[in-house]
C-alpha cells in the first residue's frame, strides 16, 4: 500500500489510540480523570511519523453487505407448499419466495357453500311457514276471546319465523366472510419479496426460525455498507467517525470513501487471518467486526471483497527521515500561544516546549526542534496534567 497512507493516516490512528486509552481506561483498567491510576498512551515520534523501518500500516479486508435485513414471516397456521429461493439468491421486489398449500382452504369453502345452501333452504321454509300462518291469521274475522287468542298465537309464530330468518341471514353473512378470507389467502398463497437484496437465511427443520422469528431473512441491497474485522490487539487503532478508503482487490485504481460508524466489541467472532493484511495478526486472538458507511456505493456489488485502508488523503508523499517533523494536531499551545507537546519523562507526563519551523499544509506537518525521533509523545487532550502516568505499549487482555 502507498506510503502516503502511513504518512498521514497512521498518525490519526495513533491519535485515536491515545484518546481511547485515556478516555476508556483500556490499559488502566477503566480509570478516567487525573487520578493516579489513569495512564496516557505515548508513542515515539519516529513511529508517529512512520519513519521506523519496522512500522507498517494496517490494512483490513472488508465485504460489501446491506445496511439492513428484512424478515419475511410464515404463518404458523398454514402449511408450506413450495420454496422458490435458496440462501445466497438475489431477489427483487415481487420475486416469489414461497407458497402455502390451498387444498384445505378450497375444501373449507366447499363446506361453507353447503352451509349457506342449508341456511337458504331454511329461509325458504321459514318464508313458506310465514305465508301459511299469515293466511290463517287473515281468515280470523271474529273478535271473540278465542279469536283474539288465536290471532296472538299466529302473530307470535310469524314474529318467531322472521327472527329465524334474520339469524339465518346473519349466519350466511358470517360464512361468506370466512369464504372471502379464504379466497384472499388462496389469491395470496405465494409470498413475494418486499425489497431488493440477497437471501441470507432460510429456516429449516433444524432451525425452524431465524433469530428474529422470521422464516426468510433478506439483506437489503438498496443501501450498502462494508463489514471488516479487527483483532483484539489492534482494536484500539480504529475509531468511530474515522475516514477510510475502500480499494478494489481486482483493480487498485478503483476506490470508494467511507467512515467507520460502528466497532462492535460485543460481538466476538472466530479468527480469520484473511481479514487482516499488512498489520500484526495473532492466530489465537479474538476478532471484532466493524462497519463502514459509504459516501457513494456506485460500482459496488453485494458480497464484493475490498481492502480497507485507514484514512482518506491524496496528499503527495513526503520523506520524514531527513529531519524532525510532527503532525500539527499533536501540538498544543499554552495561554501565551507557545507551542509544546505532551511527552513522557520517566513514566510520567510532562510538557516539552518546541519550536516550529516550516509548515507543509498538504501533509499537515511542521518541522520542529526541541524533541527528537525517540521522544515519546501523547495526543494532546484538555484533561491532561503533568505527572500523569504514561504507557508506551498496548497490553491486550
Amino acid at each position: 500500500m502507498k506510503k502516503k497512507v502511513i504518512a498521514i493516516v497512521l498518525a490519526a490512528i495513533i491519535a485515536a489510540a491515545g484518546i481511547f486509552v485515556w478516555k476508556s481506561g483500556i490499559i488502566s483498567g477503566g480509570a478516567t480523570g487525573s487520578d493516579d491510576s489513569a495512564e496516557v498512551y505515548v508513542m515515539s515520534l519516529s513511529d508517529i511519523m512512520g519513519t521506523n523501518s519496522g512500522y507498517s500500516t494496517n490494512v483490513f479486508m472488508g465485504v460489501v453487505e446491506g445496511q439492513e435485513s428484512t424478515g419475511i414471516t410464515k404463518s404458523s397456521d398454514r402449511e408450506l407448499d413450495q420454496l422458490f429461493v435458496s440462501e445466497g439468491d438475489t431477489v427483487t421486489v415481487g420475486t416469489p419466495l414461497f407458497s402455502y398449500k390451498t387444498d384445505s382452504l378450497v375444501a373449507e369453502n366447499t363446506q361453507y357453500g353447503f352451509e349457506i345452501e342449508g341456511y337458504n333452504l331454511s329461509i325458504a321454509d321459514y318464508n313458506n311457514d310465514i305465508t301459511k300462518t299469515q293466511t290463517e291469521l287473515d281468515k280470523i274475522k271474529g273478535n271473540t276471546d278465542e279469536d283474539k287468542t288465536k290471532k296472538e298465537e299466529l302473530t307470535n309464530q310469524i314474529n318467531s319465523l322472521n327472527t329465524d330468518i334474520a339469524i339465518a341471514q346473519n349466519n350466511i353473512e358470517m360464512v361468506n366472510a370466512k369464504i372471502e378470507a379464504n379466497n384472499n389467502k388462496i389469491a395470496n398463497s405465494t409470498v413475494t419479496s418486499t425489497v431488493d437484496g440477497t437471501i441470507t437465511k432460510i429456516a429449516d427443520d433444524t432451525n425452524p426460525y431465524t433469530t428474529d422469528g422470521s422464516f426468510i431473512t433478506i439483506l437489503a441491497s438498496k443501501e450498502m455498507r462494508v463489514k471488516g474485522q479487527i483483532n483484539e490487539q489492534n482494536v484500539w487503532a480504529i475509531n468511530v467517525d474515522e475516514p477510510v478508503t475502500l480499494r478494489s482487490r481486482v483493480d487498485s485504481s478503483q476506490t470508494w470513501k467511507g467512515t467507520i460508524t460502528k466497532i462492535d466489541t460485543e460481538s466476538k467472532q472466530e479468527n480469520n487471518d484473511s481479514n487482516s493484511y499488512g498489520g500484526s495478526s495473532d492466530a489465537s486472538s479474538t476478532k471484532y467486526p466493524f462497519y463502514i458507511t459509504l459516501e457513494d456505493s456506485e460500482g459496488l456489488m453485494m458480497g464484493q471483497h475490498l481492502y480497507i485502508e485507514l484514512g482518506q488523503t491524496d496528499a503527495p508523499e513526503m520523506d520524514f527521515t531527513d529531519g524532525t517533523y510532527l503532525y500539527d494536531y499533536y501540538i498544543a499551545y499554552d495561554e501565551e500561544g507557545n507551542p509544546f507537546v505532551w511527552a513522557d519523562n520517566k513514566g510520567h507526563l510532562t510538557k516539552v516546549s518546541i519550536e516550529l519551523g516550516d509548515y507543509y499544509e498538504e501533509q499537515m506537518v511542521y518541522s520542529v526542534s526541541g524533541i527528537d525521533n525517540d521522544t515519546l509523545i501523547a495526543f494532546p487532550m484538555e484533561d491532561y496534567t503533568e505527572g500523569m502516568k504514561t504507557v508506551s505499549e498496548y497490553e491486550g487482555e
Side-chain angles (χ1 to χ4, degrees):
M1 294 300 164
K2 295 183 178 180
K3 292 181 181 178
K4 64 184 178 183
V5 176
I6 299 175
I8 293 181
V9 173
L10 293 182
I13 300 170
I14 297 161
I19 294 171
F20 185 68
V21 170
W22 164 233
K23 285 296 186 183
S24 67
I26 191 170
I27 296 177
S28 62
T32 59
S34 59
D35 57 53
D36 292 340
S37 64
E39 292 179 318
V40 178
Y41 185 84
V42 293
M43 197 171 193
S44 70
L45 179 61
S46 58
D47 280 344
I48 291 173
M49 304 309 295
T51 55
N52 261 352
S53 59
Y55 190 84
S56 61
T57 182
N58 279 328
V59 177
F60 305 94
M61 294 300 299
V63 62
V64 180
E65 65 176 27
Q67 284 278 24
E68 61 181 82
S69 294
T70 297
I72 306 296
T73 59
K74 183 175 77 70
S75 175
S76 59
D77 61 354
R78 298 192 66 180
E79 187 177 356
L80 182 68
D81 184 20
Q82 295 184 69
L83 184 62
F84 303 117
V85 293
S86 302
E87 291 182 5
D89 286 356
T90 299
V91 296
T92 58
V93 175
T95 298
L97 302 177
F98 63 92
S99 64
Y100 296 110
K101 289 185 177 180
T102 59
D103 297 350
S104 61
L105 296 175
V106 173
E108 279 186 4
N109 281 355
T110 300
Q111 181 61 39
Y112 291 149
F114 292 147
E115 291 182 17
I116 290 175
E117 184 178 351
Y119 290 131
N120 283 328
L121 289 175
S122 295
I123 290 172
D125 290 340
Y126 296 149
N127 283 324
N128 288 333
D129 290 342
I130 289 173
T131 300
K132 291 178 182 180
T133 304
Q134 186 65 49
T135 300
E136 291 183 28
L137 181 60
D138 292 341
K139 289 179 180 180
I140 301 174
K141 304 296 184 181
N143 199 26
T144 65
D145 290 342
E146 183 179 354
D147 291 337
K148 291 180 180 179
T149 300
K150 186 64 175 177
K151 286 180 180 179
E152 185 177 353
E153 290 178 353
L154 294 174
T155 300
N156 288 339
Q157 288 180 22
I158 292 172
N159 290 337
S160 178
L161 289 168
N162 282 324
T163 299
D164 290 339
I165 290 173
I167 291 173
Q169 289 173 336
N170 184 65
N171 287 337
I172 290 173
E173 288 180 3
M174 289 190 296
V175 174
N176 277 328
K178 293 179 180 179
I179 291 175
E180 184 178 357
N182 280 351
N183 284 337
N184 286 334
K185 289 181 178 180
I186 292 170
N188 296 286
S189 60
T190 298
V191 178
T192 60
S193 176
T194 57
V195 296
D196 298 341
T198 302
I199 305 293
T200 58
K201 179 64 183 177
I202 299 176
D204 53 33
D205 293 337
T206 58
N207 181 20
Y209 292 98
T210 53
T211 54
D212 63 352
S214 302
F215 176 57
I216 292 178
T217 301
I218 303 172
L219 196 59
S221 58
K222 183 177 181 181
E223 296 293 337
M224 294 181 179
R225 67 179 180 183
V226 175
K227 177 183 178 181
Q229 280 188 343
I230 189 168
N231 63 33
E232 59 187 343
Q233 279 74 29
N234 293 333
V235 69
W236 54 267
I238 62 175
N239 203 30
V240 171
D241 294 331
E242 184 173 356
V244 297
T245 297
L246 295 310
R247 192 176 301 276
S248 170
R249 293 177 61 184
V250 178
D251 181 359
S252 61
S253 65
Q254 272 194 308
T255 60
W256 296 263
K257 293 181 178 181
T259 303
I260 296 175
T261 52
K262 182 180 180 181
I263 303 169
D264 190 1
T265 54
E266 299 298 321
S267 299
K268 295 182 179 180
Q269 299 185 353
E270 294 181 3
N271 182 67
N272 183 352
D273 287 338
S274 65
N275 286 333
S276 179
Y277 172 81
S280 62
S281 176
D282 185 346
S284 63
S285 67
T286 300
K287 297 284 187 178
Y288 299 106
F290 64 96
Y291 299 92
I292 296 162
T293 296
L294 296 159
E295 292 184 9
D296 182 8
S297 61
E298 184 177 357
L300 288 173
M301 297 182 295
M302 294 290 290
Q304 182 176 349
H305 289 266
L306 302 167
Y307 291 119
I308 302 172
E309 301 173 4
L310 298 172
Q312 291 179 358
T313 177
D314 293 321
E317 297 180 17
M318 180 174 175
D319 184 7
F320 297 121
T321 61
D322 63 348
T324 306
Y325 301 90
L326 182 62
Y327 292 107
D328 58 8
Y329 42 78
Y330 269 89
I331 301 171
Y333 296 87
D334 62 22
E335 294 179 355
E336 297 178 358
N338 300 314
F340 69 91
V341 294
W342 288 104
D344 169 76
N345 180 21
K346 298 180 179 180
H348 294 278
L349 199 64
T350 187
K351 294 181 180 179
V352 175
S353 297
I354 59 173
E355 293 184 6
L356 304 181
D358 294 335
Y359 182 63
Y360 303 89
E361 184 174 358
E362 288 186 287
Q363 290 82 9
M364 299 180 294
V365 167
Y366 276 104
S367 63
V368 298
S369 59
I371 55 175
D372 57 36
N373 284 329
D374 293 327
T375 303
L376 299 177
I377 297 173
F379 184 82
M381 294 184 64
E382 293 182 359
D383 295 338
Y384 287 170
T385 58
E386 289 192 287
M388 295 176 66
K389 293 179 181 179
T390 60
V391 62
S392 59
E393 283 187 20
Y394 169 70
E395 299 172 6
E397 293 179 359

